[in-house]
Amino acid sequence: MTAPPVAVGVAALAHVLGEPVDVATAAPAYTRELDRVRAWEYRTFHRSGDGVGVTDLAVVAGGTALDRAGLSAADVDLVVLAVPDLTEYLYWDAAAHTQARLGAHRAEAVLLNQACGGGVAAFDTVAGRFATHPAYRTALLIGANRVCEPYWNRMEINTSVFSDGAAAVVLVRDHDRCRWLATETISDGRYAGFMRMPVGGAAEPFTAAGGTPRVGDPAERLNEFFAGDVRQMFRFVATIRERNRGVVEAACARAGVDLAEVRRFVHFHDNARQFAELAKDLGVDLDRTNVELALDHGHVGCADQLIGLEHHLDHGELTDGDLVALTSTGSGMHWVCTLLRV
């Protein structure tokens, strides 16, 4: 095994979720495509109450993780907040706001908006800051999601049912538990426009006459993005699957381990079919993934993998010495893998 450039370990984890909602009961309020939602096999999703913002969730998860680590906000050198959706305001730094609300006033604050892979990619951000700032000893990494429902339909925008929540991990230099080994990211900007909302930015500002825009249905977006070229669509889907494995192989190569050594794969909370394909592509049994947890909670954006890591550790499904891969696919497109040694 190749030694990582810095020694960083997980001191504590915590998460918070919105209120649980039965998918089958709620689905008719979100979509007419009920058969499609049923085929995904999600059982529950989580919705926060009106007025609860993404930073509200982040502060709860972050504060709880610090308490579990026996640390105070004053001990934190670095706060990294990863979010996949809009925060409460535009022209506003949600990471700095979270830092202030936690009371971590001497900590550097970093905001990541790398879609659903941000919580996994953020391990690399922490390791990089630790490498260039030798005095940094404690980092608080938070992945959070609060669906911006005016623009984003929880059950129609993608192939997942989206949930609200946040998860946090306290990372400490030289901590010998759940050590970071490597993070790898594959980015392909050719697909950057696939998830784009057509209005709301500097190129096409919001207008009163335009009403409230919505991110479109994935099948419609796919057809529009590839101008109806079915071969390109299939190639895109094949690329997603190939790179899900490729990024794991790249992380394993960097860490000097073999993919077969990975005990568990904690992926973003995709649907049941996608998990089955992921397991097939990785050459592992489905029960070595977090599929059941995903179907129980829905897709919590950047928080999925941290929720899964906490769950598998707490339930004894990961023990000392086990190798775990946190993996994600995110619009952009990005494929990310972080390897940890428990």
Side-chain angles (χ1 to χ4, degrees), residues 36 38 76 83 193 198 225 251:
R36 180 176 66 173
R38 277 192 289 269
V76 179
V83 293
F225 186 80

Side-chain angles (χ1 to χ4, degrees), residues 44-315:
T44 306
F45 72 97
H46 297 268
R47 186 187 186 280
S48 294
D50 294 343
V52 176
V54 67
T55 58
D56 297 320
L57 298 166
V59 168
V60 172
T64 304
L66 287 173
D67 288 344
R68 290 180 178 176
L71 297 170
S72 73
D75 297 312
V76 179
D77 302 296
L78 175 67
V79 174
V80 180
L81 175 64
V83 293
D85 205 335
L86 297 178
T87 60
E88 291 92 328
Y89 302 99
L90 302 178
Y91 293 106
W92 185 68
D93 190 330
H97 181 70
T98 300
Q99 176 250 43
R101 287 185 60 187
L102 286 166
H105 300 299
R106 72 177 189 84
E108 178 186 1
V110 176
L111 179 64
L112 296 183
N113 190 211
Q114 202 164 346
C116 299
V120 178
F123 281 83
D124 218 16
T125 300
V126 171
R129 285 300 203 281
F130 275 31
T132 57
H133 295 72
Y136 283 11
R137 296 203 56 81
T138 303
L140 180 62
L141 188 170
I142 307 170
N145 190 56
R146 175 63 167 98
V147 175
C148 190
E149 292 188 285
Y151 310 128
W152 189 277
N153 185 310
R154 294 175 186 271
M155 298 189 190
E156 285 194 338
I157 299 307
N158 218 320
T159 56
S160 305
V161 174
F162 284 78
S163 285
D164 303 331
V169 55
V170 179
L171 295 167
V172 177
R173 188 186 293 271
D174 296 328
H175 189 76
D176 61 1
R177 174 76 169 164
C178 213
R179 292 162 294 149
W180 173 80
L181 299 183
T183 298
E184 281 292 321
T185 300
I186 298 172
S187 298
D188 193 334
R190 292 176 299 170
Y191 307 115
F194 178 62
M195 291 293 293
R196 187 178 70 191
M197 191 164 73
V199 299
E204 293 287 342
F206 293 120
T207 64
T212 302
R214 304 280 282 182
V215 178
D217 173 271
E220 294 175 3
R221 292 199 319 270
L222 194 68
N223 187 62
E224 181 180 353
F225 186 80
F226 292 106
D229 189 327
V230 176
R231 288 176 299 179
Q232 286 195 51
M233 295 180 203
F234 277 106
R235 193 176 303 122
F236 174 61
V237 173
T239 297
I240 291 174
R241 295 183 62 176
E242 291 165 4
R243 289 180 177 170
N244 279 337
R245 180 183 175 97
V247 76
V248 177
E249 291 175 331
C252 287
R254 180 172 293 278
V257 299
D258 192 89
L259 192 151
E261 297 177 54
V262 179
R263 174 70 182 85
R264 187 169 289 275
F265 297 85
V266 184
H267 196 53
F268 86 89
H269 290 181
D270 213 339
N271 65 60
R273 177 183 173 184
Q274 298 296 333
F275 262 99
E277 291 182 349
L278 176 71
K280 180 180 178 181
D281 294 339
L282 292 171
V284 301
D285 292 336
L286 187 59
D287 62 8
R288 286 173 60 187
T289 73
N290 56 319
V291 58
E292 294 303 322
L293 196 64
L295 301 179
D296 277 340
H297 292 303
H299 180 23
V300 199
C302 298
D304 289 346
Q305 297 84 355
L306 300 183
I307 291 170
L309 181 62
E310 180 187 357
H311 174 88
H312 294 309
L313 287 169
D314 286 352
H315 287 77

